[in-house]
């Protein structure tokens, strides 16, 4: 009888320890929370947008208004690099083995130079076609919110979604406005540099791979859009070669980008 009692107690202890170990493993697998830092890099392309150049040429009897507008090429390659400081909140248990972890994140992104060229019919029409190239670099300061999903299918591969809003600092250096009828003339030559700031929005989707309790690798797609921007370039200044002009205004319509990126997050 004593032996049976001892065996029953031992079995109960084993079951309790096994249950506790399983619970500890599940907790470790889903444990989140706390600050993290991260970095990522990626490649992508800018979609076509519209450019509009406006100004006036000085003639003996007055000014001739110039208005040229047209689209850029359909895809211009670019790249990005970014740093993040974020926070993972406690997970919500939606269903057994389903967990959702909300995140908040500050992100700084640099987008490398890309040079879209707009092919722009001129008004008045007898002036033909204007080709405007704008070597563009962009810095972003973003505030992102995201969700990380733990599913029954994997405790290490975690789908994630995110959205973000912030400011885009757009800089154009060495812009060129050329017309085939005037070879060698850059109509922005006296000041080909300009910048503007606009609202930026982004959507992110990807996966995190839990390498350890602190280190995650990530791969993601992101769509980025930047509101229309406006620039002022210098007047055309070629004494004896070209009539003087007013300074030029260039309007760039909404910019849209698609990126694929990879990086890591390290939790404290």
């Amino acid at each position: 009888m004593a032996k049976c009692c001892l065996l029953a107690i031992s079995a109960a202890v084993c079951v309790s320890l096994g249950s506790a170990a399983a619970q500890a493993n599940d907790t470790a697998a889903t444990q989140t929370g706390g600050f993290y830092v991260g970095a990522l890099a990626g490649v992508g392309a800018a979609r076509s947008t519209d450019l509009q150049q406006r100004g006036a040429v000085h003639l003996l009897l007055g000014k001739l208004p110039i208005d040229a507008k047209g689209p850029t090429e359909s895809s211009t390659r670019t790249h990005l690099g970014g740093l993040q400081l974020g926070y993972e909140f406690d997970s919500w248990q939606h269903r057994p083995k389903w967990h959702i972890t909300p995140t908040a994140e500050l992100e700084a992104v640099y987008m490398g130079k890309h040079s879209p060229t707009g092919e722009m019919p001129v008004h008045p029409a007898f002036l033909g076609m204007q080709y405007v190239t704008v070597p563009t670099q962009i810095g972003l300061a973003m505030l992102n919110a995201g969700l990380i999903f733990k599913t029954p299918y994997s405790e290490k591969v975690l789908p994630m979604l995110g959205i973000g809003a912030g400011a885009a600092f757009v800089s154009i250096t060495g812009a060129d406005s050329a017309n085939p009828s005037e070879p060698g003339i850059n109509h922005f030559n006296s000041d080909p540099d300009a910048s503007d700031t606009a609202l930026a929005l982004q959507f992110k989707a990807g996966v995190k791979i839990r390498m350890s309790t602190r280190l995650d690798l990530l791969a993601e797609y992101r769509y980025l859009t930047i509101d229309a921007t406006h620039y002022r370039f210098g007047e055309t200044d070629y004494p004896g070669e070209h009539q003087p002009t007013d300074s030029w205004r260039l309007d760039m319509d909404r910019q849209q980008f698609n990126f694929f990126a990879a990086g890591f997050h390290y939790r404290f």
Side-chain angles (χ1 to χ4, degrees):
M1 184 69 176
K3 183 179 290 187
C4 290
C5 291
L6 184 59
L7 289 173
I9 292 171
S10 299
V13 170
C14 289
V15 170
S16 298
L17 290 175
S19 176
Q23 186 176 3
N25 287 336
D26 185 64
T27 301
T30 61
Q31 184 177 10
T32 57
F35 287 97
Y36 64 85
V37 294
L40 84 165
V43 295
R47 298 183 183 181
S48 176
T49 190
D50 284 332
L51 298 178
Q52 182 175 19
Q53 176 184 340
R54 288 177 289 175
V57 177
H58 299 180
L59 302 176
L60 290 177
L61 299 179
K63 293 183 179 181
L64 176 64
I66 304 295
D67 189 346
K69 183 176 182 179
T72 63
E73 59 266 61
S74 60
S75 180
T76 307
R77 291 186 180 181
T78 185
H79 59 274
L80 64 76
L83 299 173
Q84 299 94 26
L85 172 63
Y87 188 84
E88 285 190 9
F89 297 91
D90 292 337
S91 295
W92 309 329
Q93 184 170 337
H94 181 58
R95 294 178 182 176
K97 296 189 177 181
W98 287 83
H99 297 263
I100 302 175
T101 303
T103 65
E105 182 180 87
L106 292 173
E107 182 178 46
V109 175
Y110 168 76
M111 292 172 52
K113 183 178 289 187
H114 64 290
S115 299
T117 297
E119 186 173 331
M120 304 158 57
V122 184
H123 180 79
F126 70 84
L127 292 176
M129 193 77 68
Q130 203 77 8
Y131 295 87
V132 176
T133 302
V134 283
T136 304
Q137 300 177 80
I138 301 173
L140 300 169
M142 304 295 290
L143 177 61
N144 302 322
L147 296 173
I148 304 170
F149 301 90
K150 177 185 173 293
T151 72
Y153 310 108
S154 176
E155 294 184 347
K156 291 189 175 181
V157 180
L158 310 175
M160 59 181 185
L161 295 173
I163 57 173
F169 306 94
V170 185
S171 175
I172 297 175
T173 305
D176 181 78
S177 176
N179 192 305
S181 66
E182 299 172 318
I185 299 294
N186 176 9
H187 293 82
F188 299 155
N189 74 305
S190 66
D191 186 4
D193 303 338
S195 61
D196 196 12
T197 303
L199 174 68
L201 301 172
Q202 66 179 357
F203 166 78
K204 304 190 294 180
V207 294
K208 278 192 172 188
I209 302 174
R210 287 264 148 98
M211 304 302 293
S212 70
T213 57
R214 294 188 180 275
L215 179 65
D216 297 338
L217 300 182
L218 63 148
E220 65 180 33
Y221 160 80
R222 63 172 64 191
Y223 166 77
L224 171 69
T225 177
I226 298 172
D227 274 358
T229 46
H230 311 282
Y231 310 91
R232 180 70 67 177
F233 294 104
E235 62 273 9
T236 307
D237 185 18
Y238 291 91
E241 295 184 63
H242 192 284
Q243 293 295 113
T245 72
D246 289 344
S247 60
W248 297 96
R249 177 178 174 130
L250 185 75
D251 298 326
M252 183 183 294
D253 208 350
R254 178 182 298 274
Q255 299 181 71
Q256 301 176 78
F257 302 86
N258 295 298
F259 285 101
F260 293 94
F264 71 90
H265 287 165
Y266 183 83
R267 292 186 300 280
F268 297 109

